Amino acid sequence: SVNLARIAQRHQVDADVSVEGLSSMSAESASILKNIERPVTVSAFISQTLPDDLKPKQKEVEDKLKALKRLGGEKINLQIYRPADSLDQYALLATRDFNLKPRKAIEDTVSGKEQQDVFLGAAVTSGGSSQIIEYFDPGLSVEYELVRAVRTVASSQKHVLGVAKTDLEM
């Protein structure tokens, strides 16, 4: 039998070959991403080792990030960092530049339950605007959060209404 995912990976082809479309985005998301106005940088921080119960979420985040890049094309600069622990260079980058802090997660080990610090978040930036997704909780829609953040930072400046007090009487 032929494994299309393995062949695609070997030849560095990034396409959703799953029957369920797990690595795809909705038509609405695709439309938003194709029409963004400014370049966007997505800096994702995903720990090298995660507890087993977070591995499905890790896979979903990675798949949606690839789909985001695929649909956004040249306007999306995707950077995935994999901190080994809460003190390595990528963890320091996350905390210093984006104020992303690791979360405590419980992992079952041979010696019992242990807490570990994990990163599973992203910073979406464009120009002077930024949106931080602190943590992709298991119940959170990864697609919605990523597309919302991209749309927010990549849209043109919002009009601001101000009130000025002057000597003129109205």
Side-chain angles (χ1 to χ4, degrees), residues 145-164:
E145 287 299 317
L146 285 172
V147 173
R148 178 197 57 76
V150 167
R151 184 181 62 204
T152 300
V153 301
S155 64
S156 59
Q157 292 287 22
K158 295 182 173 102
H159 299 288
V160 177
L161 177 63
V163 178

Side-chain angles (χ1 to χ4, degrees), residues 1 7 14 17 23 29 60 64-65 70-71 77-78 104 112 117 136 142 152 165 169:
S1 75
I7 292 170
D14 183 23
V17 293
S23 299
S29 294
E60 180 186 358
K64 294 301 181 183
L65 287 168
R70 195 168 45 246
L71 292 171
N77 175 20
L78 175 62
K104 298 284 185 199
D117 288 337
F136 290 102
V142 175
T152 300
K165 184 174 182 180
E169 294 283 330

